[in-house]
Every structure is written in C-alpha cells, then in structure tokens.
Amino acid sequence: MFYMLNMRVISMNKIKISVIIPTFNRNNLLKKSLKSLSEQSLNRNEYEVIICDDGSYESAVTIVKEFENKLNIKYCYHSNKGYRVALARNEGIYLAKGEICAFIDCGMIVIPEFLENHLKLHKKNNNNILHLQSCVQDFGCST
C-alpha cells in the first residue's frame, strides 16, 4: 500500500530543490530535521520537503502537519515489509518537483544556509553530484 498526502499547495514559483527524508518510527528526530529546514535562508517557495515513511507504526502525519504552514511539505507512506529505505528515497524522487534532489537522514539538523549553499555549489560545479558534510551540525541526537 502506498499513499501520498500533499500538505500545502506550492506557489507558482519554480521549486529549485527537493529535500527527501526517509523515516521509520523516528518522530522526535523527524521533528528536529523539519525544524531546521523551516529555518532556511532560502525562500520557502524555492524548496520542498518530502517525507517518505518506510511503514512506521508511529505515524509521522501529526509531525508533518505541525509544519504544513512553515514548509512546502509532502508525505508519502508505504506498508512495512522490512527495511526498504532505498524504495522510500526512490518514491521521494518520483514525487520531487525540484531541479535538484537533496537527501538527508531523519534526525539531521542542517544549518540555516544548507539549501542556499547546496544550490550555489551545484551551480559552481555544473550540477554534479555533491556531498555536503560540512553543512550539517551534529548535536548527538539519540534515537
């Protein structure tokens, strides 16, 4: 079973970047990631966040709804049939409207310039694949 919930209609502006976050029973960590994404220096109409739930029994919908007025956010869910994080990420790619996809793990807390820096580096490097470890802060969040 797969379903998708589009929490907010995105404006007519072109989405530059889609942030894809797979999750499984990590609502507290998801909330921290979404909070950091809601504080980005990039205009929120220029990016979207896609939460890909890998069959959680701890519904992430309530967490996602908390951010529907702060982020352009989508939520997709598929039944729990074992660890399928790659499938969850691929579903996020399928739903993405951005020119670029950025993947972060559930629980990552990104700096306010994360998405802006990501876009700048893509332009500078002719849209090659990037790995931006320096743009992430590790606060030792436990699961």
Side-chain angles (χ1 to χ4, degrees), residues 56-90:
S56 297
Y57 54 82
E58 181 182 295
S59 177
V61 172
T62 53
I63 301 300
V64 171
K65 284 185 177 184
E66 287 180 36
F67 288 88
E68 68 184 336
N69 293 320
K70 299 175 185 172
L71 292 167
N72 292 319
I73 193 163
K74 296 177 185 175
Y75 175 80
C76 64
Y77 176 90
H78 63 256
S79 301
N80 184 355
K81 294 183 181 175
Y83 184 75
R84 300 183 303 166
V85 70
L87 174 64
R89 284 189 184 103
N90 287 339

Short mmCIF file of all heavy atoms in Angstrom, two decimals, residues 56-90:
data_model
loop_
_atom_site.label_atom_id
_atom_site.label_comp_id
_atom_site.label_asym_id
_atom_site.label_seq_id
_atom_site.Cartn_x
_atom_site.Cartn_y
_atom_site.Cartn_z
N SER A 56 6.14 3.11 9.07
CA SER A 56 6.13 3.34 10.52
C SER A 56 4.79 2.95 11.15
O SER A 56 3.74 3.18 10.57
CB SER A 56 6.38 4.81 10.84
OG SER A 56 7.64 5.23 10.42
N TYR A 57 4.84 2.38 12.33
CA TYR A 57 3.63 2.21 13.11
C TYR A 57 3.40 3.44 13.98
O TYR A 57 2.34 3.67 14.50
CB TYR A 57 3.67 0.93 13.96
CG TYR A 57 4.87 0.80 14.86
CD1 TYR A 57 4.91 1.44 16.09
CD2 TYR A 57 5.96 0.04 14.48
CE1 TYR A 57 6.02 1.34 16.92
CE2 TYR A 57 7.07 -0.07 15.30
CZ TYR A 57 7.09 0.57 16.53
OH TYR A 57 8.19 0.46 17.34
N GLU A 58 4.43 4.25 14.13
CA GLU A 58 4.37 5.53 14.84
C GLU A 58 4.14 6.60 13.77
O GLU A 58 5.06 7.06 13.14
CB GLU A 58 5.72 5.74 15.55
CG GLU A 58 5.86 6.99 16.35
CD GLU A 58 7.27 7.09 16.94
OE1 GLU A 58 7.64 6.25 17.78
OE2 GLU A 58 7.99 8.02 16.55
N SER A 59 2.89 6.95 13.53
CA SER A 59 2.54 7.81 12.40
C SER A 59 3.26 9.15 12.43
O SER A 59 3.25 9.86 13.42
CB SER A 59 1.03 8.05 12.37
OG SER A 59 0.71 8.92 11.32
N ALA A 60 3.87 9.47 11.31
CA ALA A 60 4.57 10.75 11.17
C ALA A 60 3.65 11.86 10.68
O ALA A 60 4.05 13.02 10.62
CB ALA A 60 5.75 10.59 10.23
N VAL A 61 2.40 11.52 10.35
CA VAL A 61 1.47 12.52 9.81
C VAL A 61 1.28 13.69 10.77
O VAL A 61 1.27 14.85 10.35
CB VAL A 61 0.11 11.88 9.46
CG1 VAL A 61 -0.91 12.93 9.07
CG2 VAL A 61 0.27 10.88 8.34
N THR A 62 1.18 13.42 12.06
CA THR A 62 0.97 14.51 13.02
C THR A 62 2.16 15.46 13.06
O THR A 62 1.99 16.67 13.16
CB THR A 62 0.70 13.97 14.45
OG1 THR A 62 1.75 13.06 14.80
CG2 THR A 62 -0.63 13.25 14.51
N ILE A 63 3.37 14.91 12.94
CA ILE A 63 4.58 15.75 12.91
C ILE A 63 4.58 16.58 11.63
O ILE A 63 4.84 17.78 11.65
CB ILE A 63 5.85 14.89 13.00
CG1 ILE A 63 5.87 14.05 14.28
CG2 ILE A 63 7.11 15.76 12.89
CD1 ILE A 63 5.83 14.83 15.57
N VAL A 64 4.28 15.95 10.52
CA VAL A 64 4.26 16.64 9.23
C VAL A 64 3.24 17.78 9.26
O VAL A 64 3.52 18.89 8.80
CB VAL A 64 3.98 15.65 8.08
CG1 VAL A 64 3.74 16.37 6.77
CG2 VAL A 64 5.14 14.66 7.94
N LYS A 65 2.08 17.54 9.82
CA LYS A 65 1.03 18.57 9.89
C LYS A 65 1.46 19.78 10.72
O LYS A 65 1.03 20.89 10.45
CB LYS A 65 -0.27 17.98 10.42
CG LYS A 65 -0.99 17.15 9.39
CD LYS A 65 -2.34 16.68 9.89
CE LYS A 65 -3.04 15.92 8.79
NZ LYS A 65 -4.39 15.51 9.18
N GLU A 66 2.31 19.56 11.71
CA GLU A 66 2.83 20.67 12.52
C GLU A 66 3.61 21.67 11.68
O GLU A 66 3.74 22.83 12.04
CB GLU A 66 3.74 20.16 13.64
CG GLU A 66 3.03 19.49 14.77
CD GLU A 66 4.02 19.02 15.83
OE1 GLU A 66 5.03 19.73 16.08
OE2 GLU A 66 3.79 17.94 16.40
N PHE A 67 4.14 21.21 10.54
CA PHE A 67 5.00 22.06 9.71
C PHE A 67 4.34 22.48 8.40
O PHE A 67 4.97 23.12 7.57
CB PHE A 67 6.33 21.34 9.44
CG PHE A 67 7.21 21.27 10.64
CD1 PHE A 67 7.10 20.22 11.53
CD2 PHE A 67 8.12 22.28 10.92
CE1 PHE A 67 7.88 20.15 12.67
CE2 PHE A 67 8.91 22.24 12.06
CZ PHE A 67 8.79 21.16 12.93
N GLU A 68 3.06 22.17 8.21
CA GLU A 68 2.42 22.47 6.94
C GLU A 68 2.31 23.96 6.66
O GLU A 68 2.23 24.35 5.50
CB GLU A 68 1.05 21.79 6.83
CG GLU A 68 0.01 22.32 7.77
CD GLU A 68 -1.30 21.54 7.69
OE1 GLU A 68 -1.56 20.90 6.65
OE2 GLU A 68 -2.03 21.55 8.67
N ASN A 69 2.36 24.80 7.67
CA ASN A 69 2.33 26.26 7.46
C ASN A 69 3.72 26.88 7.45
O ASN A 69 3.86 28.08 7.25
CB ASN A 69 1.47 26.93 8.53
CG ASN A 69 0.01 26.56 8.40
OD1 ASN A 69 -0.52 26.47 7.28
ND2 ASN A 69 -0.65 26.31 9.51
N LYS A 70 4.74 26.06 7.66
CA LYS A 70 6.11 26.55 7.70
C LYS A 70 6.95 26.06 6.53
O LYS A 70 7.99 26.62 6.23
CB LYS A 70 6.79 26.11 9.00
CG LYS A 70 6.12 26.65 10.24
CD LYS A 70 6.75 26.07 11.49
CE LYS A 70 5.98 26.52 12.71
NZ LYS A 70 6.45 25.84 13.91
N LEU A 71 6.49 24.97 5.89
CA LEU A 71 7.25 24.34 4.80
C LEU A 71 6.31 23.94 3.68
O LEU A 71 5.14 23.66 3.91
CB LEU A 71 7.95 23.07 5.30
CG LEU A 71 9.08 23.22 6.30
CD1 LEU A 71 9.42 21.87 6.91
CD2 LEU A 71 10.31 23.81 5.62
N ASN A 72 6.85 23.85 2.47
CA ASN A 72 6.17 23.16 1.38
C ASN A 72 6.49 21.69 1.62
O ASN A 72 7.62 21.25 1.37
CB ASN A 72 6.72 23.61 0.02
CG ASN A 72 6.37 25.04 -0.27
OD1 ASN A 72 5.26 25.47 0.01
ND2 ASN A 72 7.30 25.79 -0.82
N ILE A 73 5.53 20.94 2.12
CA ILE A 73 5.82 19.60 2.60
C ILE A 73 4.86 18.58 2.02
O ILE A 73 3.68 18.84 1.85
CB ILE A 73 5.83 19.58 4.15
CG1 ILE A 73 6.44 18.30 4.69
CG2 ILE A 73 4.46 19.85 4.73
CD1 ILE A 73 6.85 18.39 6.16
N LYS A 74 5.43 17.43 1.68
CA LYS A 74 4.66 16.29 1.19
C LYS A 74 4.98 15.09 2.07
O LYS A 74 6.09 14.97 2.59
CB LYS A 74 5.04 15.94 -0.25
CG LYS A 74 4.72 17.01 -1.26
CD LYS A 74 5.20 16.58 -2.63
CE LYS A 74 5.00 17.68 -3.65
NZ LYS A 74 5.57 17.32 -4.96
N TYR A 75 4.04 14.19 2.18
CA TYR A 75 4.22 12.98 2.97
C TYR A 75 3.78 11.78 2.15
O TYR A 75 2.70 11.79 1.57
CB TYR A 75 3.39 13.07 4.25
CG TYR A 75 3.40 11.83 5.10
CD1 TYR A 75 4.45 11.55 5.94
CD2 TYR A 75 2.33 10.95 5.05
CE1 TYR A 75 4.45 10.41 6.73
CE2 TYR A 75 2.32 9.80 5.84
CZ TYR A 75 3.39 9.54 6.68
OH TYR A 75 3.39 8.42 7.45
N CYS A 76 4.63 10.78 2.06
CA CYS A 76 4.24 9.53 1.40
C CYS A 76 4.53 8.37 2.34
O CYS A 76 5.45 8.43 3.15
CB CYS A 76 4.91 9.37 0.05
SG CYS A 76 6.69 9.21 0.07
N TYR A 77 3.74 7.34 2.23
CA TYR A 77 3.81 6.19 3.12
C TYR A 77 3.67 4.91 2.30
O TYR A 77 2.90 4.86 1.36
CB TYR A 77 2.66 6.27 4.13
CG TYR A 77 2.54 5.09 5.05
CD1 TYR A 77 3.20 5.06 6.26
CD2 TYR A 77 1.76 3.99 4.69
CE1 TYR A 77 3.10 3.97 7.10
CE2 TYR A 77 1.66 2.89 5.53
CZ TYR A 77 2.33 2.90 6.73
OH TYR A 77 2.22 1.80 7.56
N HIS A 78 4.44 3.89 2.67
CA HIS A 78 4.18 2.56 2.14
C HIS A 78 4.24 1.56 3.28
O HIS A 78 4.87 1.81 4.30
CB HIS A 78 5.10 2.19 0.98
CG HIS A 78 6.55 2.11 1.33
ND1 HIS A 78 7.44 3.08 0.99
CD2 HIS A 78 7.26 1.17 2.00
CE1 HIS A 78 8.64 2.75 1.43
NE2 HIS A 78 8.56 1.60 2.04
N SER A 79 3.55 0.46 3.11
CA SER A 79 3.44 -0.56 4.16
C SER A 79 4.80 -1.10 4.57
O SER A 79 5.72 -1.19 3.76
CB SER A 79 2.57 -1.72 3.67
OG SER A 79 1.30 -1.27 3.32
N ASN A 80 4.89 -1.49 5.82
CA ASN A 80 6.11 -2.05 6.36
C ASN A 80 6.29 -3.48 5.86
O ASN A 80 5.56 -4.38 6.26
CB ASN A 80 6.08 -2.01 7.89
CG ASN A 80 7.37 -2.48 8.51
OD1 ASN A 80 8.28 -2.93 7.82
ND2 ASN A 80 7.46 -2.39 9.81
N LYS A 81 7.25 -3.67 5.00
CA LYS A 81 7.60 -5.01 4.50
C LYS A 81 9.10 -5.24 4.68
O LYS A 81 9.75 -5.84 3.85
CB LYS A 81 7.20 -5.15 3.03
CG LYS A 81 5.71 -5.10 2.82
CD LYS A 81 5.35 -5.31 1.37
CE LYS A 81 3.85 -5.23 1.20
NZ LYS A 81 3.44 -5.30 -0.19
N GLY A 82 9.61 -4.70 5.76
CA GLY A 82 11.05 -4.82 6.00
C GLY A 82 11.75 -3.52 5.63
O GLY A 82 11.15 -2.58 5.14
N TYR A 83 13.04 -3.49 5.91
CA TYR A 83 13.87 -2.30 5.68
C TYR A 83 13.95 -2.02 4.19
O TYR A 83 14.57 -2.76 3.44
CB TYR A 83 15.25 -2.56 6.29
CG TYR A 83 16.19 -1.40 6.20
CD1 TYR A 83 16.04 -0.31 7.04
CD2 TYR A 83 17.23 -1.39 5.28
CE1 TYR A 83 16.91 0.76 6.98
CE2 TYR A 83 18.10 -0.33 5.21
CZ TYR A 83 17.94 0.74 6.07
OH TYR A 83 18.80 1.81 6.00
N ARG A 84 13.31 -0.90 3.76
CA ARG A 84 13.29 -0.54 2.34
C ARG A 84 13.58 0.96 2.17
O ARG A 84 12.84 1.67 1.50
CB ARG A 84 11.95 -0.91 1.71
CG ARG A 84 11.66 -2.39 1.80
CD ARG A 84 10.39 -2.78 1.12
NE ARG A 84 9.26 -2.04 1.65
CZ ARG A 84 8.07 -1.98 1.08
NH1 ARG A 84 7.85 -2.59 -0.05
NH2 ARG A 84 7.10 -1.29 1.62
N VAL A 85 14.64 1.42 2.78
CA VAL A 85 14.95 2.84 2.72
C VAL A 85 15.25 3.30 1.29
O VAL A 85 14.91 4.42 0.92
CB VAL A 85 16.10 3.21 3.70
CG1 VAL A 85 17.43 2.65 3.23
CG2 VAL A 85 16.18 4.71 3.91
N ALA A 86 15.82 2.45 0.48
CA ALA A 86 16.10 2.82 -0.92
C ALA A 86 14.78 3.04 -1.66
O ALA A 86 14.66 4.00 -2.44
CB ALA A 86 16.93 1.75 -1.61
N LEU A 87 13.79 2.20 -1.43
CA LEU A 87 12.48 2.38 -2.04
C LEU A 87 11.86 3.70 -1.58
O LEU A 87 11.29 4.44 -2.38
CB LEU A 87 11.55 1.21 -1.69
CG LEU A 87 10.10 1.36 -2.16
CD1 LEU A 87 10.03 1.39 -3.68
CD2 LEU A 87 9.26 0.22 -1.61
N ALA A 88 11.99 3.99 -0.29
CA ALA A 88 11.45 5.24 0.25
C ALA A 88 12.09 6.44 -0.44
O ALA A 88 11.41 7.38 -0.85
CB ALA A 88 11.66 5.31 1.76
N ARG A 89 13.40 6.41 -0.61
CA ARG A 89 14.10 7.52 -1.30
C ARG A 89 13.64 7.62 -2.75
O ARG A 89 13.44 8.72 -3.27
CB ARG A 89 15.61 7.32 -1.24
CG ARG A 89 16.20 7.65 0.10
CD ARG A 89 17.73 7.64 0.05
NE ARG A 89 18.27 7.87 1.37
CZ ARG A 89 18.78 6.91 2.14
NH1 ARG A 89 18.84 5.67 1.71
NH2 ARG A 89 19.24 7.20 3.34
N ASN A 90 13.49 6.49 -3.42
CA ASN A 90 13.05 6.50 -4.82
C ASN A 90 11.64 7.06 -4.94
O ASN A 90 11.34 7.77 -5.91
CB ASN A 90 13.12 5.09 -5.41
CG ASN A 90 14.54 4.66 -5.69
OD1 ASN A 90 15.44 5.49 -5.80
ND2 ASN A 90 14.76 3.36 -5.78
#
